[in-house]
Amino acid sequence: AQSVTQLDSHVSVSEGTPVLLRCNYSSSYSPSLFWYVQHPNKGLQLLLKYTSAATLVKGINGFEAEFKKSETSFHLTKPSAHMSDAAEYFCVVSAQAAGNKLTFGGGTRVLVKP
Amino acid sequence: DGGITQSPKYLFRKEGQNVTLSCEQNLNHDAMYWYRQDPGQGLRLIYYSQIVNDFQKGDIAEGYSVSREKKESFPLTVTSAQKNPTAFYLCASSIQQAGEAFFGQGTRLTVV
């Protein structure tokens, strides 16, 4: 079994300040973890993925995430928020042993203030 | 360009009518998925298919049906048995082993 908890449903930051989106997961397998971004009325775009290689993963648009097995966490960060980062973000867990079924967190909506 | 195409982008139907949402991919992916998205509820899995002519129910399959006759296509039918069909529907595909999914742009279905 696998599950994902995104600890904040909404995050508000000022432009130019750091962004932190928190994600905790549970999996009976060796998981792959992903962060996706969704802009209004659009599909989901992959930001980055962890698949058992380096624990610090760099993605697109300046985002990065660190896999911490001991804490079962996969938090997403960005040093300096941009107005275009306003969107909804999803943390996702998958495992080959689970048929690569994707399990989504509830999402975190990010608001960027000028 | 390779990708996933969902059509139509917006769809309106009368209550009690069946409606079929199209999903086509030219990425040569084996696995395809249908998700439903409601405000504040994230994405919920309706059906998924790991190979042609085979598919499995997801977490909220009641009132929906699918087929997978071709690798490229995974249409979703929303039947009259679905009690609350108004939602945003997302189709995705993935290479089996990698697990990373690619998403279409979605279809917003409104039942009136």
Side-chain angles (χ1 to χ4, degrees), chain B residues 44-98:
Chain B
R44 293 182 290 170
L45 181 64
I46 305 172
Y47 268 98
Y48 65 105
S49 167
Q50 298 189 20
I51 197 169
V52 174
N53 292 322
D54 186 47
F55 48 83
Q56 289 80 40
K57 292 182 180 180
D59 302 317
I60 56 164
E62 185 176 351
Y64 299 97
S65 66
V66 293
S67 63
R68 187 85 188 277
E69 297 176 1
K70 298 186 299 182
K71 189 175 187 177
E72 301 80 16
S73 179
F74 192 42
L76 173 74
T77 297
V78 184
T79 75
S80 57
Q82 169 50 235
K83 295 176 182 176
N84 186 20
T86 294
F88 190 53
Y89 290 87
L90 286 161
C91 179
S93 70
S94 71
I95 299 172
Q96 282 279 44
Q97 293 74 20

Side-chain angles (χ1 to χ4, degrees), chain A residues 1 18 20-21 26 28 39 43-44 48 50 58 62 66 72 76 79 86 89 91 96 98 100 106 108:
Chain A
L20 169 64
L21 305 183
S26 172
S28 304
H39 290 91
L44 277 70
L48 49 80
Y50 166 78
K58 293 188 183 298
E66 186 171 9
T72 60
L76 180 71
Y89 293 79
C91 182
Q96 192 169 346
N100 287 318
T108 298

Side-chain angles (χ1 to χ4, degrees), chain A residues 35-49:
Chain A
W35 275 100
Y36 285 86
V37 60
Q38 184 183 31
H39 290 91
N41 293 311
K42 298 291 186 183
L44 277 70
Q45 180 185 18
L46 181 70
L47 281 177
L48 49 80
K49 63 180 178 181

Side-chain angles (χ1 to χ4, degrees), chain A residues 32 34 36 38 41-46 49 51 88 90 94 96 98-107, chain B residues 9-10 33 35 37 41-43 45 48 50 59 88 90 95-105 108:
Chain A
S32 297
F34 311 88
Y36 285 86
Q38 184 183 31
N41 293 311
K42 298 291 186 183
L44 277 70
Q45 180 185 18
L46 181 70
K49 63 180 178 181
T51 55
E88 189 154 21
F90 293 96
S94 170
Q96 192 169 346
N100 287 318
K101 179 181 172 182
L102 301 175
T103 300
F104 283 77
Chain B
K9 188 173 176 64
Y10 298 96
Y33 312 82
Y35 292 90
Q37 187 175 28
Q41 294 195 40
L43 276 72
L45 181 64
Y48 65 105
Q50 298 189 20
D59 302 317
F88 190 53
L90 286 161
I95 299 172
Q96 282 279 44
Q97 293 74 20
E100 168 191 342
F102 293 79
F103 285 81
Q105 292 299 295
R108 184 165 296 282

Side-chain angles (χ1 to χ4, degrees), chain A residues 5 9-10 21 30 35 40 45 48 52 58 64 77 82 86 98 104:
Chain A
T5 302
S9 60
H10 293 81
L21 305 183
S30 295
W35 275 100
Q45 180 185 18
L48 49 80
S52 76
K58 293 188 183 298
E64 65 180 36
T77 61
H82 190 271
F104 283 77

